[in-house]
Structures are given as C-alpha cells and as structure tokens.
Amino acid sequence: MRFPVCLLATALIGAPAFSAEEWSRPLNWTGLEPLGAVQQVARTGRGVELALARGGALTVSVLAPDLVRVRAIFPGQAPALDHSWAVAKTDWPAVPWQLAETATHITLATAELKVVIARDPLLIEFRDAVTGRLINADHRPAARDPQTGRLAAAKRLGYDEHFYGLGEKAARLDKRRGRFEMWNSDTPGYTEGKDPVYQSIPFYLGLEHGAAYGIFHDNAHRSLFDFGHLRQECAEWSALGGELNYYFFHGPALKKVVSRYTELTGRMPMQPLWALGHQQSRYSYYPDKLVEHIAAEYRARRLPLDVLYLDIHYMDAYRVFTWDRARFPDPDGLMRRLDAQGLKVVTIVDPGVKYQPPAAGAQDATKDRDLAAHDASYYVYNEGLAADHFLRQKDGSLYIGEVWPGKSVFVDYTKESARRWWGDLHRALTDRGIDGIWTDMNEPADFLDQTGQRHENIVFDDLGQKSAYAGHRNLFALNMARATYEGLARLQPDRRPFVITRAGYAGIQRYAVKWTGDNNATFAALALNLPMFATLGLSGQAYVGADVPGFIGRGDGELLARSYQVAAFAPFLRNHTAIDQYDKEPWRFGPFYEGIVRKFLELRYRLLPFLYTTIEEAHRTGVPLFRPLVLNFQADAATHNLDDQFMVGDALLAAPVTTAGQREREVYFPAGPWYDWWTGALASAGGETQAVRAPVDHLPLYVRGGSIVPSTVAMQHTGEKPWNPLRFDVYPDAAGAAQGSLYEDDGTSPAYQQGAYRRTTLALAAGRLTITPTGNFQPPARRFEVVLHAAPREAEVRLDGQPLAATHWSRDPAGVLTARLDDDGRAHTLEIR
C-alpha cells in the first residue's frame, strides 16, 4: 500500500545505518576483536564445544550429514537464550560423525561433510567428505567490536563463484559483486538496485565449479552481505548486533541445499486450490456496489477470476477488525452473493491499531462489535491495552506511532498471549465470510519515523528476555503472520488458512504467501520480476507473485499483456493498483489486450493440475515452482547468471518479452530435446540459442523432453467444475522415455496432512506407459486423455494387454496420438507400438 503523496519523499523506513562512506569502501574491520585461539576441546553428543583464548567459546553441532551449525560467543558477550523465531526443526535425529584432533586442527566428519577447524588463528573450512574438495573457508577469523557489538565474518571468494538468495532483493539473480542490507523497509516504487526493500532473509547459496553450498546467518539484526563488491579476496557478512550463529549446508546440488534449508526453517503449507486462481484488487474497491460491479464484469466478459480484495477503505476510519457501515452496510450479504458466483474475498489487515482511549462513560458493544460505531470507544484498543499486548518502550510507556488510522500502537507478537489474541480477532472477518487475510505495512511502517531511530527504545518481550527493537524489527512480520495463520487455523479448523505478507524474515513461508510490494507499472519492473521471483524461491519462499501490471504508474495494454504472460506462471497471480492510478482490470485497455489476457488466464486454468502438482512438490520438498534455469541445469554454466527466462517445475521453459515494442527474442535451450508448447513440434535438440518470434499475443513457451504435463479444460473459477477430462501430454526424450505425476486432494481442508490425497504417477519407457494411482483420496469420476507427441508413424494401442477400441484413440496429421480411458482408480498400462 502506498504512502500519502506528502510522505513519498521520505518514505524509506529504515534508511541504511551503514554510512555512505562505509558503502563506498570495503568493510571496516578496525576495532573488531577476533575470536581467540582454541585452548580446549570438549566432545558433546552433537559435536564439539571449544573454549577459546580470552574467554570466548565456539560450538559446532552436527545436525545432519550435510548440515552443521556454528555458534560463537565472544569475550565479554553474554550468551543469549538459544531460541530462534526462524527455525522450525530442532529435533534432528542423531547421525554418525567422527572427531579427529592434531596439534593444529580439529576435524568433524560425517558421511558427506568435513569441518576442519584451525586452532590458531581460529579458521573454519568445509570440505566434501568423499572427494576432499574445498567447499568454503574462512578468509580471516570472525570478529566483534566489544564496544558496539558489531560482528563480522569473511569467507574466501572463489574466482568463479556465483551467489544466489537473500530473499527479496531488487537485483539480478546472481548476487556476485553485489552488496545487500537486511533491514525490512517500506520502499514504494522501488527499482533495480534499491536496497533494502521489504524483506530480510539472511540465507544465500554459493555455486562454484558446478557444486553448491548454503549459509544461513540466523541473526535478525541489521546486517550486510558483501559478495566481493569491492574486494577480490573475500565475501563478507557484518551485523550491528546479536550473535555469530550460522548454519552451513552442503550440496553439491542446489535443490538439495534449498530442500534442507526449508526443512530447517519450515516449508509452505498447502494453500487452498482457489489461491492458484486469478485475483483482483485495487486500493480500494468501495462501496459494496463497486465490488459487485467488478465481479459482474468479470463474469460477463468470461475472464476467469477466483478472488476479490478489500483494501483499507472497508474499515471504519482504518480501524482494524471493523467495517465501514456506510460503504459496506451488509458485509454478510455481500459475501454470500459473491460466494454464489464462485468468488472468495480477502481483506487487508494492517498491524497499526488506532490509539484511542475511550471517551468518558463509553462502553464497547457486546455483540457485532465489528459493526458497531467506534468513535467513542474502540474494542480492539481497549482489549489490547487491558491485557498489555502492545509494544512498550524502556520507560514502560506505550510506543505510539502513526499509520493510516492516525496515532497507532503495535502488538508485541513475541508474546504468545498477544499472538493468540490477535489471531482470535479475525473472527470479526471470518464470521462475515472472509476467506483470507492480507497483512500489509508490516515492516512495520510508521509515518512518523522513516529512519528507525524513533523506535530504538522499543522493547519486545521475546520470551521474557526484554529484547531491543534492533534485533526484532526484521522479525515483526514473521510473528504477525504466525499470529494470523494460527488464528485462522483455530477459527476455521476445516479450512486451510490463506495469508499473504509484504515483509518477512527466514521461515515466513510457514505462514504466508509473499507478494513483492508496491512495484511500478513499467517494463523495467516486469523484467525485475523474473530474478526476484526466482531468488525468493531459492530462499525458501515458493508461493510468490507481484502486482500485475504494477502498483504505481499507468502502464498500457502492451505492458498488461506481457505482464500476464509472466504472471500466468507465478504461484500468486493478482491484478492490483494504487488509489491514485489508472484502472488496470483486463478490459481497461481495449478488447485486443483483453483477449490476450483471457488467453493466458485460460491457459493458467487449463494448467491447474500441473501447477497444483508442482506447488505440492514445493510443499513437500521446498523446491519452488518458479525456477531459474540454474536450479534445473546446474552443470550448465550458461544458466548460472541467466535470469530473463524461467522454468515452471521441471517441465516448462518460458522466455517472456519484458521490453516495450519487442517482437522477437533470443532463447537459450539447455540440454533437450525441447518441444514448442503451442504447436507440439520439436523446437530444439538443446544446447543452443535461437532467435524466436514473439508477437505481443505470444509467449515463447517450451516443454522439456521427458516430461508428462497434466492439464484440464478452462474454467471461470477453480470450483466451477471437476478436472474432467484430465489430459496428460507426453513428450518423449531422446531415448523415448518420459515421466510425470498428478497430485490431488480436496483443495480446501488440512486433511492432506493426514494422508487424504492421491498421487498418480505416469512413466513411459520402450513404448509402454504405466499409470499408477496411490493414496486414499477419491476424486469424482472422470476420463483420462493421454496425448503422445512424436508417436510412431504406424501405431497399435493396447490397454492392459488388450487392443484399445478404435473409438478410444485417434491420431492427428502431425502424428500426435490421443488415447482415452476411464479413470477407475486402478493401475493401467498403455502400449503404443
């Protein structure tokens, strides 16, 4: 959401605490005291505890064969409670490891990883346990400033090392030679190079000579990552406080590192199926008649839509958990009418609670409090104050900032009681029929202070530690999302919570979908979407998207069309614009561009089986749906910094146009073969770059040989009809083989967590296609259509050893063979010879 115009000039909350001088030169190590030499080694059940000179300590813990935690306490530093808001898994099963000591080194070894610690000076290196290959090593000992608490660590910089990750960054895919800050900041209208922006994920991946590793610095203080920005020797990390506490992940596969990182910090839950549908918003749709008008336009124009949004103007003077009765006199009735059209509704909820001491003698309503008048008394403020749920300062006073309601207070989400209270407040929305919650302004934004200095005296409870704001700003959105998600799960235990967020920290994927904030309606912003989505996926956030075609600025029909060609393949697809900007619904730029948008929306809905299956893979493994090519083709050096193409799962390769007026582009094809999605023809054997046509209504889209892609018919919303028929397009590789799968569940409830799902695997080899369903979810009756591309010229089709009736299969002039069979829940074999 955008700031008022008068505030835009100073709307960069949390301007860098690293000075301009520091940004213009290498990291300053002056005044930092390094960890001392190892004096004593004590073996523990998990690893070693090292006593260091001058009173420091270092703990190295083996969590898995490819995962090690390193935690240091510097001389004079008080040990903090060993607790992380980011880490989800702490009960790692014991794994075998060995300890070896020499006069100069201490070595911990698992089946995959060796950690070699030099005693003096204290330097750590990580090696592959099988090959002995050096993966990562300290450039100099980690150090700390005893006066300010600033920390620093340096790793050797490989000559050909690439860096990925760090969550939301307005930057290219490969972060080599870049410098990036972790400090959640409200940055409307950001452009490439603006840093920091809304989110802080201090996790990155390194890749050199085709082998990958990962490092997660679990320190929520303001920090800086420097990947050889001004030094050739090292990659550096510095934080303004907290602990040196990092996790090292050994690959060598990028997918393995991402999977293990999301095992540590948690994986995204399955979202409701409707969340994959098209979503429409603006700041703001009001009154209720306008909301219904937009819905009616979508249905009349046959433009698929699943979700409508209500921005801040549905509230009573921006008070959260209230309704403006003049604009929305009957929210219950509105929700019922929209639900009858297959439409869900998501409402915004900001963290700022209006500071409103009650008028003398005023009392809160006891029924329908969200619908009551709130001018004299505001129940949310009254309850929060009475239970001491709001943030306070060191002197015990409430912290009072300013956001949309005016003077506002903020919840201390580190308190379990406050999180539960906040979560339960959502009953005011869910009881009215609201289906999801959009958490915005949660950096947290504060109109009174765009630097963060005014917040320095805020204290968070933090499990009784009474911790300073400096270590919790980056955690605020994570804990707000947690409170919201857990509240929705309690209030509606038979439904999957749907929460989206603007800000976050490591682990945010456990609770919320991520959108990339207040972007611009420009081709430059569209181009930036590709590396941003890919980077977020590599950082554990698989369910991502951006405002289409951009929040700030007018845009035009060409931008709208090209934006939908990208957004059709992002997990989160929402059209959204600012209050003072031109309307951007698909029909606003004329029927030609509306037709292009319809084409790609219908494609998305046809691909729902494939997209849902691929997003379930992300839920199960952490590997994202929207992928940079390097994730699938790590050994191909041409993909290591390629970020103007992307893949959807393992199967689809998209090469969108992100420049105005462009009607052709170059496409790089990794090892193939590759088929043209639109024609089915063989497009490339792989390992080459081609120039291809890309008129404004066309997206260069290709299918990787060896893939089986499930799809269905187009529909107006995800709940309109079952997936019938289910089509499986089979694209053989050079050996004539292919494989794929289809995941299904009820799409709405958490029953999948108890095994209520079905997975259908398909595999083609030597002309035999096996179809094997497993699981206890029973979908409605339907028909399968198996479409074999590049089929033999003369073919006989047999089902389970018997000839398939001629009425159940056909072949088109291009040689594509289609076989039809009923899905009876049993395994089958199709032979095509």
Side-chain angles (χ1 to χ4, degrees):
M1 183 174 299
R2 197 178 184 189
F3 279 113
V5 174
C6 61
L7 292 174
L8 276 176
T10 57
L12 305 181
I13 289 184
F18 298 95
S19 68
E21 182 182 2
E22 287 179 289
W23 273 91
S24 65
R25 56 181 171 75
L27 186 67
N28 183 9
W29 288 72
T30 303
L32 303 184
E33 296 184 0
L35 287 170
V38 177
Q39 293 189 327
Q40 187 174 354
V41 180
R43 178 170 181 153
T44 68
R46 279 286 180 191
V48 293
E49 293 180 352
L50 309 179
L52 310 180
R54 303 191 308 277
L58 183 81
T59 301
V60 180
S61 304
V62 176
L63 303 184
D66 56 356
L67 175 58
V68 169
R69 181 187 181 193
V70 177
R71 186 186 187 204
I73 302 296
F74 286 82
Q77 184 180 20
L81 180 68
D82 190 9
H83 169 266
S84 169
W85 295 102
V87 169
K89 182 172 181 176
T90 57
D91 56 341
W92 296 88
V95 296
W97 62 278
Q98 291 77 43
L99 175 65
E101 295 188 60
T102 68
T104 58
H105 290 83
I106 303 142
T107 302
L108 291 80
T110 72
E112 298 185 33
L113 183 64
K114 280 187 177 180
V115 184
V116 183
I117 306 168
R119 293 177 182 264
D120 188 13
L122 198 163
L123 297 168
I124 304 175
E125 63 182 31
F126 299 90
R127 293 184 174 271
D128 186 285
V130 177
T131 66
R133 175 182 58 85
L134 180 66
I135 305 168
N136 179 268
D138 286 349
H139 173 69
R140 61 192 297 174
R144 179 177 181 268
D145 186 327
Q147 303 301 317
T148 67
R150 184 166 72 91
L151 301 164
K155 300 289 186 178
R156 295 182 197 168
L157 177 65
Y159 293 119
D160 297 306
E161 192 167 6
H162 303 270
F163 297 95
Y164 312 103
L166 297 185
E168 186 181 34
K169 290 296 169 187
R172 303 294 293 272
L173 175 69
D174 186 358
K175 305 300 187 290
R176 181 179 174 87
R177 301 300 183 188
R179 178 180 275 195
F180 303 96
E181 190 172 353
M182 299 288 127
W183 190 246
N184 289 1
S185 301
D186 185 356
T187 50
Y190 62 88
T191 56
E192 182 179 343
K194 179 64 189 175
D195 189 72
V197 288
Y198 300 104
Q199 197 187 70
S200 299
I201 310 294
F203 165 71
Y204 70 89
L205 303 97
L207 175 67
E208 188 172 25
H209 305 311
Y213 69 90
I215 293 178
F216 167 42
H217 280 279
D218 191 6
N219 181 323
H221 284 73
R222 199 173 203 148
S223 60
L224 191 70
F225 288 81
D226 185 318
F227 298 121
H229 183 58
L230 292 172
R231 291 188 201 271
Q232 301 296 332
E233 306 90 348
C234 59
E236 297 168 300
W237 168 85
S238 180
L240 297 183
E243 290 187 334
L244 178 69
N245 174 27
Y246 70 88
Y247 296 80
F248 185 88
F249 305 83
H250 175 33
L254 285 165
K255 287 182 179 178
K256 182 167 173 278
V257 175
V258 173
S259 185
R260 186 66 89 181
Y261 167 74
T262 55
E263 183 179 7
L264 175 71
T265 60
R267 295 185 179 133
M268 52 153 276
M270 286 297 288
Q271 302 296 324
L273 175 61
W274 56 258
L276 276 176
H278 184 212
Q279 308 187 31
Q280 180 64 55
S281 181
R282 87 164 280 125
Y283 165 33
S284 287
Y285 285 134
Y286 70 89
D288 54 352
K289 299 303 182 186
L290 177 57
V291 177
E292 295 192 84
H293 171 74
I294 296 295
E297 282 291 314
Y298 263 98
R299 292 297 180 244
R301 293 172 181 271
R302 302 293 295 169
L303 288 161
L305 184 69
D306 266 86
V307 186
L308 282 167
Y309 279 70
L310 300 181
D311 210 316
I312 58 174
H313 291 91
Y314 80 91
M315 304 178 200
D316 177 9
Y318 310 130
R319 298 177 180 92
V320 290
F321 306 111
T322 69
W323 290 89
D324 185 317
R325 297 301 301 279
R327 292 168 174 165
F328 294 88
D330 180 18
D332 304 63
L334 175 63
M335 302 311 144
R336 287 194 299 270
R337 293 190 295 275
L338 293 174
D339 184 68
Q341 300 177 62
L343 292 170
K344 309 298 182 184
V345 178
V346 174
T347 52
I348 196 170
V349 175
D350 289 338
V353 174
K354 184 175 179 62
Y355 172 75
Q356 185 181 327
Q363 293 185 338
D364 292 324
T366 59
K367 183 180 179 182
D368 292 333
R369 297 183 301 172
D370 55 318
L371 302 180
H374 303 98
D375 292 341
S377 184
Y378 176 30
Y379 77 101
V380 175
Y381 174 79
N382 296 340
E383 287 184 359
L385 184 66
D388 196 25
H389 291 323
F390 299 133
L391 286 169
R392 294 183 179 273
Q393 303 186 92
K394 292 178 181 178
D395 62 4
S397 63
L398 282 177
Y399 174 75
I400 302 174
E402 185 173 322
V403 280
W404 299 115
K407 290 184 177 180
S408 300
V409 292
F410 301 84
V411 175
D412 184 353
Y413 296 109
T414 66
K415 293 182 177 181
E416 183 179 1
S417 60
R419 290 197 304 274
R420 188 173 188 90
W421 169 73
W422 184 262
D424 289 346
L425 285 171
H426 289 80
R427 184 181 297 279
L429 301 170
T430 58
D431 281 359
R432 305 288 172 207
I434 295 302
D435 300 283
I437 300 299
W438 166 22
T439 58
D440 196 1
M441 305 287 286
N442 54 350
E443 292 72 34
D446 185 343
F447 298 164
L448 293 180
D449 180 12
Q450 319 307 332
T451 68
Q453 294 179 357
R454 192 173 185 271
H455 308 144
E456 291 178 351
N457 290 324
I458 295 175
V459 176
F460 287 77
D461 180 75
D462 192 21
L463 304 182
Q465 296 184 94
K466 306 301 180 185
S467 300
Y469 179 86
H472 278 268
R473 179 187 180 88
N474 288 341
L475 292 167
F476 184 88
L478 171 68
N479 285 318
M480 180 185 180
R482 175 181 177 179
T484 304
Y485 181 91
E486 292 176 346
L488 294 178
R490 286 193 304 273
L491 293 170
Q492 299 176 313
D494 59 340
R495 296 188 188 182
R496 302 174 192 177
F498 179 69
V499 180
I500 70 172
T501 187
R502 189 167 75 179
Y505 182 73
I508 187 65
Q509 68 272 5
R510 302 197 302 267
Y511 308 118
V513 167
K514 164 66 181 170
W515 108 100
T516 55
D518 296 347
N519 61 346
N520 294 312
T522 64
F523 274 94
L526 174 60
L528 191 58
N529 282 344
L530 274 63
M532 289 186 75
F533 294 174
T535 294
L536 283 162
L538 291 174
S539 306
Q541 296 176 83
Y543 218 113
V544 298
D547 289 341
V548 177
F551 183 70
I552 298 171
R554 181 186 178 95
D556 58 21
E558 182 186 9
L559 177 64
L560 184 75
R562 294 302 196 189
S563 297
Y564 270 97
Q565 290 168 13
V566 173
F569 299 97
F572 180 64
L573 166 55
R574 182 178 74 163
N575 183 307
H576 186 48
T577 193
I579 192 169
D580 57 347
Q581 301 296 320
Y582 191 73
D583 307 272
K584 296 191 179 83
E585 293 87 5
W587 56 86
R588 297 295 185 177
F589 296 99
F592 175 70
Y593 294 110
E594 178 184 344
I596 298 173
V597 172
R598 183 181 295 105
K599 170 184 174 180
F600 283 93
L601 287 177
E602 289 179 348
L603 173 61
R604 181 182 180 92
Y605 278 72
R606 292 207 319 270
L607 284 172
L608 279 172
F610 170 68
L611 296 174
Y612 197 61
T613 297
T614 310
I615 208 70
E616 188 276 334
E617 180 187 359
H619 155 70
R620 180 168 35 88
T621 69
V623 179
L625 179 152
F626 193 104
R627 303 178 186 177
L629 270 66
V630 67
L631 192 58
N632 286 342
F633 298 96
Q634 182 175 326
D636 186 345
T639 69
H640 291 176
N641 62 5
L642 182 61
D643 59 9
D644 67 346
Q645 302 175 200
F646 64 91
M647 290 199 68
V648 187
D650 286 319
L652 299 183
L653 185 154
V657 169
T658 58
T659 301
Q662 186 175 343
R663 297 296 182 264
E664 69 172 32
R665 63 155 293 163
E666 291 185 344
V667 178
Y668 177 69
F669 293 96
W674 295 91
Y675 297 81
D676 188 298
W677 167 264
W678 305 105
T679 67
L682 185 66
S684 172
E688 64 173 354
T689 298
Q690 290 185 15
V692 303
R693 292 183 65 252
V696 71
D697 63 345
H698 180 72
L699 168 71
L701 182 65
Y702 305 92
V703 189
R704 185 181 184 182
S707 304
I708 299 177
V709 180
S711 63
T712 188
V713 295
M715 54 190 71
Q716 291 300 294
H717 60 88
T718 56
E720 183 182 18
K721 50 192 169 185
W723 294 346
N724 186 27
L726 262 168
R727 173 173 168 148
F728 298 95
D729 280 87
V730 182
Y731 299 89
D733 63 15
Q739 61 183 357
S741 65
L742 170 70
Y743 172 84
E744 299 170 277
D745 57 29
D746 65 24
T748 60
S749 81
Y752 71 94
Q753 297 172 342
Q754 284 72 50
Y757 61 84
R758 172 171 155 173
R759 195 182 310 279
T760 303
T761 57
L762 300 94
L764 173 70
R768 293 167 59 92
L769 178 73
T770 57
I771 305 172
T772 309
T774 58
N776 57 23
F777 173 71
Q778 183 60 49
R782 72 275 182 93
R783 171 164 286 198
F784 285 168
E785 292 182 354
V786 177
V787 181
L788 177 62
H789 298 259
R793 290 184 177 276
E794 300 295 332
E796 177 190 14
V797 183
R798 302 175 71 88
L799 177 63
D800 299 329
Q802 301 298 316
L804 186 64
T807 56
H808 285 68
W809 70 278
S810 59
R811 182 188 183 93
D812 70 15
V816 177
L817 188 149
T818 302
R820 294 168 286 276
L821 63 152
D822 291 331
D823 173 25
D824 57 8
R826 296 184 298 158
H828 293 285
T829 300
L830 273 174
E831 296 178 76
I832 304 168
R833 301 185 183 279

